[in-house]
Amino acid sequence: MDDGDPPACMDGLSVTGCERCPALVESRTRIVDGTGPADADLLFVGEGPGANEDEQGEPFVGRSGSVLDDGLREVGLDRADVRITNCVRCRPPENRDPHAEELGNCRTYLDAEIQRVDPELIITLGKVPSEHLLGRDVAVTSEAGDIADATVADTIRPVLISVHPAATLYDRSQEATFTDTLDKAAEYAGDGGQSTLGSF
Ligand code: URA
């Protein structure tokens, strides 16, 4: 394979055999693709797999995942109804933030997934995905709940900024912010969500 060619991502969803980031290839057990329906209305984007995700091969299955699952249920959604993915698909060593180059290397796959799913709304979980997709500095705590239009995967799309689920574990005051943001996301999610239209 030519170094410049992205490895296979034929269906826009699953990646095989990528070795573009030497440090991540070294630290990962496996590539962690997104999960959930390929036609989901909502696409949640996290930072990158942690230890649990690396072990189980699925995004958000550790403590952050429990917070996300609980939050989704609270606003009338289920994990099975939404798509969940990450900016990078391989676990960074010692859970460090992905480097800019690694984010760039994996962007082809994230964009392919966004194009394939073509969600009504993208929800960025935390600072790294928010800044990565909006292409600017984001003060997540104060901007959480805001929806910004951004050109993502060649199309202008609404992006809802959220605090990372883990932030609620360290700072209980973030819980309401997180739930309110998910509630806003649910309004986009058709019948499965708590669209205010449904009450009329
Ligand atoms: N945190 C993330 O950003 N992504 C995961 O998949 C798990 C934890």
Side-chain angles (χ1 to χ4, degrees), residues 87-150:
C87 292
V88 298
R89 292 176 189 235
C90 300
R91 182 192 181 195
E94 276 121 45
N95 294 337
R96 66 157 167 77
D97 286 356
H99 293 158
E101 192 185 347
E102 295 160 350
L103 288 166
N105 287 342
C106 220
R107 185 62 188 254
T108 327
Y109 308 129
L110 180 58
D111 281 353
E113 185 168 17
I114 291 168
Q115 265 164 357
R116 167 76 195 269
V117 176
D118 194 21
E120 299 289 326
L121 183 69
I122 296 170
I123 305 96
T124 49
L125 297 170
K127 191 172 181 68
V128 168
S130 300
E131 296 193 339
H132 189 47
L133 291 189
L134 294 177
R136 63 169 172 83
D137 290 345
V138 176
V140 175
T141 312
S142 54
E143 295 188 55
D146 289 356
I147 296 181
D149 282 336

Side-chain angles (χ1 to χ4, degrees), residues 115-185:
Q115 265 164 357
R116 167 76 195 269
V117 176
D118 194 21
E120 299 289 326
L121 183 69
I122 296 170
I123 305 96
T124 49
L125 297 170
K127 191 172 181 68
V128 168
S130 300
E131 296 193 339
H132 189 47
L133 291 189
L134 294 177
R136 63 169 172 83
D137 290 345
V138 176
V140 175
T141 312
S142 54
E143 295 188 55
D146 289 356
I147 296 181
D149 282 336
T151 303
V152 181
D154 293 331
T155 302
I156 298 174
R157 302 172 192 274
V159 176
L160 172 60
I161 299 167
S162 173
V163 295
H164 194 281
T168 68
L169 298 170
Y170 305 118
D171 177 359
R172 302 296 292 266
S173 73
Q174 301 285 328
E175 280 176 12
T177 310
F178 185 58
T179 309
D180 289 349
T181 305
L182 292 183
D183 207 20
K184 210 171 217 183

Side-chain angles (χ1 to χ4, degrees), residues 59-81:
F60 284 97
V61 289
R63 284 182 78 200
S64 301
S66 301
V67 174
L68 179 58
D69 289 349
D70 291 347
L72 288 171
R73 267 194 298 275
E74 216 169 307
V75 302
L77 291 171
D78 191 88
R79 183 187 182 92
D81 302 328

